[in-house]
């Protein structure tokens, strides 16, 4: 039986269809003092052997709600609890970057591990975060789907990643598209919203460019990359990512920078054109 966190209802429904498993009735509420209550009455009623909880932890509330759903399905007598984190919040805080800082990814992984038998997560920022879970989480690669929504008439396409860390995503997207060159920019981050991008070596003049990253958060990285590409007379510009967090004014920022379309997957529910990671997840369930 599939159980959806409030942040992942569309993906949970897609996964239920993909697996031909029922989708549990759930309730999300908040007490007058602000405390949350997430419940799965549908699980108590159906009494399944397995519950697959699908919840992107995009906020502190979503984290808490996931812990409650894990507890609720155990309380209902489920034997196996599988937790699917389409997007793992705090995943980028995978080290203590300054003395006295926490390893937040480890802290949340430990909490989530206590309520589950197995964890799946989609394209974590660093695969090493999977080892913070007990037992180790499985990283599901959905990058092969990023090419799906691209127009099929791109002119001499170039697939670029904003930094060396995302070049594999750009290569996977190019391979799935079937043709094109790949390269990456050099990125220096000065703050949460200030990013400096140095041009890649590829000549982009007159060519259509797809910039590929794992996450678009504030859009600072992508908009810097796009403005470099505009300065170099690139053709049509597209950005695609696995996790369209699209915080604050990211969509406006990217549109103003000259992006024709923003694509992402349904690991995070946002108003952009998406492809579903449900088939990739289903292969592991
Ligand atoms: C970091 O290295 C990630 O791969 C992304 O590039 C980053 O999270 C994007 O953040 P923003 O959209 O805020 O620049």
């Amino acid at each position: 039986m599939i159980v959806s966190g409030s942040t992942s209802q569309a993906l949970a429904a897609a996964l239920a269809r993909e697996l031909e498993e029922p989708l549990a009735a759930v309730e999300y509420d908040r007490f007058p003092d602000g405390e949350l209550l997430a419940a799965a009455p549908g699980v108590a009623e159906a009494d399944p052997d397995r519950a697959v909880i699908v919840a992107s932890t995009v906020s502190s509330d979503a984290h808490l709600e996931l812990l409650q759903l894990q507890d609720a399905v155990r309380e209902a007598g489920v034997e196996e609890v599988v937790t699917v984190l389409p997007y793992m919040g705090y995943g980028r805080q995978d080290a203590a970057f300054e003395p006295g800082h926490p390893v937040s990814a480890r802290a949340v992984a430990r909490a989530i591990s206590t309520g589950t038998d197995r964890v799946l997560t989609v394209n974590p920022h660093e695969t090493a975060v999977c080892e913070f879970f007990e037992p180790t989480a499985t990283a599901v690669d959905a990058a092969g789907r990023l090419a799906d929504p691209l127009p099929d008439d791109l002119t001499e396409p170039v697939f670029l990643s904003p930094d060396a860390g995302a070049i594999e995503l750009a290569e996977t997207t190019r391979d799935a598209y079937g043709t094109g060159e790949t390269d990456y920019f050099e990125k220096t981050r000065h703050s949460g919203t200030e990013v400096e991008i140095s041009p890649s070596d590829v000549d982009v003049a007159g060519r259509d460019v797809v910039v590929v990253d794992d996450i678009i958060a504030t859009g600072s990285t992508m908009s810097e990359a796009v403005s470099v590409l505009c300065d170099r007379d690139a053709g049509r510009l597209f950005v695609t990512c696995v996790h369209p967090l699209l915080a604050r004014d990211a969509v406006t920022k990217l549109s103003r920078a000259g992006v024709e379309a923003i694509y992402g997957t349904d690991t995070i529910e946002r108003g952009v054109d998406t492809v579903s990671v449900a088939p990739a997840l289903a292969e592991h369930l």
Side-chain angles (χ1 to χ4, degrees):
M1 177 163 245
I2 309 297
V3 181
S4 56
S6 64
T7 56
S8 299
Q9 296 178 58
L11 175 53
L15 191 59
R17 284 193 295 276
E18 192 74 27
L19 293 170
E20 297 184 1
E21 284 194 31
L23 184 62
V26 284
E27 287 173 6
Y28 315 117
D29 212 342
R30 191 180 284 278
F31 290 101
D33 61 2
E35 289 186 352
L36 296 170
L37 174 63
V43 174
E45 200 179 305
D47 194 23
D49 291 338
R50 176 177 90 158
V52 178
I53 304 172
V54 185
S56 279
T57 47
V58 289
S59 65
S60 302
D61 278 1
H63 268 285
L64 209 287
E65 189 185 273
L66 169 60
L67 300 183
Q68 289 183 322
L69 288 174
Q70 289 176 327
D71 202 69
V73 300
R74 281 272 193 239
E75 186 68 17
V78 161
E79 272 173 36
E80 186 191 11
V81 180
V82 182
T83 299
V84 177
L85 295 172
Y87 172 74
M88 177 191 170
Y90 290 88
R92 288 177 290 176
Q93 295 189 42
D94 57 350
F97 296 110
E98 293 193 28
H101 279 208
V103 182
S104 301
R106 183 178 61 200
V108 298
R110 282 178 176 161
I112 291 166
S113 296
T114 59
T116 194
D117 298 299
R118 194 150 78 90
V119 175
L120 302 181
T121 189
V122 179
N123 291 91
H125 181 58
E126 294 289 347
T127 313
V129 298
C130 290
E131 286 160 29
F132 291 145
F133 293 87
E134 177 57 50
T136 301
T138 301
V140 175
D141 187 6
R145 306 299 308 274
L146 294 179
D148 290 7
L150 290 170
D152 51 19
D153 61 348
L154 295 181
T155 304
E156 295 180 71
V158 186
F159 295 82
L160 292 172
S161 62
D163 56 33
I167 185 64
E168 275 183 33
L169 284 179
E171 287 170 351
T172 306
T173 308
R174 185 271 316 270
D175 291 349
Y177 189 74
T179 182
E181 208 173 337
T182 58
D183 200 0
Y184 59 90
F185 295 96
E186 296 289 347
K187 171 167 120 179
T188 311
R189 183 175 282 285
H190 297 298
S191 72
T193 52
E194 274 179 77
V195 171
E196 194 180 320
I197 295 282
S198 312
S200 76
D201 295 333
V202 179
D203 180 10
V204 294
R207 303 174 69 179
D208 293 341
V209 181
V210 183
V211 192
V212 189
D213 206 352
D214 58 340
I215 303 168
I216 303 177
T218 63
S220 305
T221 301
M222 284 296 201
S223 55
E224 275 303 307
V226 164
S227 76
V228 168
L229 292 166
C230 287
D231 291 347
R232 302 174 93 206
D233 298 322
R236 300 162 77 193
L237 296 166
F238 301 88
V239 297
T240 185
C241 65
V242 180
H243 306 295
L245 257 177
L246 299 171
R248 302 182 189 166
D249 60 339
V251 173
T252 302
K253 205 187 277 181
L254 290 169
S255 303
R256 282 172 51 83
V259 168
E260 184 169 321
I262 304 167
Y263 303 117
T265 77
D266 54 359
T267 61
I268 300 176
E269 297 183 352
R270 294 285 188 266
V272 291
D273 289 329
T274 56
V275 290
S276 184
V277 300
L281 286 169
E283 286 175 24
H284 295 264
L285 288 165

